[in-house]
Amino acid sequence: MSVSDLSIAKYVRSHVQSKIQSKQREVKPQTTGRLEKAFSLLPDDILDLFLSENRVLTIVIEPNLQIPLGMATKTLRKPSGLNYFIIIRQEQEDWPEDLFLGAFFRELGHVVRERLPEDEWPVPRGDRARFRERIEYEADAMVWKWGLRHYSMRHLFATYPEQWAEKIVSEIEKILSEDRRLH
């Protein structure tokens, strides 16, 4: 194992919590391996945000809910800055690896883009919905910038009806085009 691999393994061990109430509260080795792989695929500057604790992140494995939900990112503002929590449901641990990674990368995109706590989002329903939609596109665009588009595509086309996935892809391309024009 390289120094980077050891740093990633240590980071994952110290930043993942299981909220599953069972005899074995430890995180599945398969999940730990997938999380380590995800961090190892990040560009060095993005990986450094996490390893250096410039982005405070806790990954929480929670029990399944009555209705299936995707992974989620929650943000908490503290006096020291923003703290992020990526919520992974127990059922998602059994997803195919590429789908799991695609969903997890989107959530990491939220953390890198410094997603605001929900209580700081716009209040009117329409504005709030448009804001949420935009930050989802921006999180996906981050994954594409990292060169991990294939994981994003796997997640999008497995999660959304084809016409919605195609719309999301179109919006991501617009964001990337805007970024290129600005730079």
Side-chain angles (χ1 to χ4, degrees), residues 106 129-130 132-134 136-138 140-141 144 149 152-153 156-157 160-175:
R106 174 188 259 189
R130 282 184 290 279
R132 179 181 181 89
E133 186 176 38
R134 176 70 184 195
E136 293 293 341
Y137 298 151
E138 289 174 353
D140 288 325
W144 288 35
R149 177 180 184 211
S152 175
M153 295 291 279
L156 293 174
F157 281 90
Y160 300 99
E162 187 174 344
Q163 68 274 15
W164 288 6
E166 289 173 358
K167 179 189 183 300
I168 294 168
V169 167
S170 173
E171 293 298 323
I172 293 167
E173 289 171 341
K174 286 179 189 174
I175 289 172

Side-chain angles (χ1 to χ4, degrees), residues 4-22:
S4 179
D5 292 341
L6 289 173
S7 298
I8 290 169
K10 181 181 175 188
Y11 179 85
V12 168
R13 276 193 312 276
S14 65
H15 287 78
V16 177
Q17 300 175 358
S18 178
K19 301 287 183 179
I20 307 297
Q21 300 297 324
S22 69

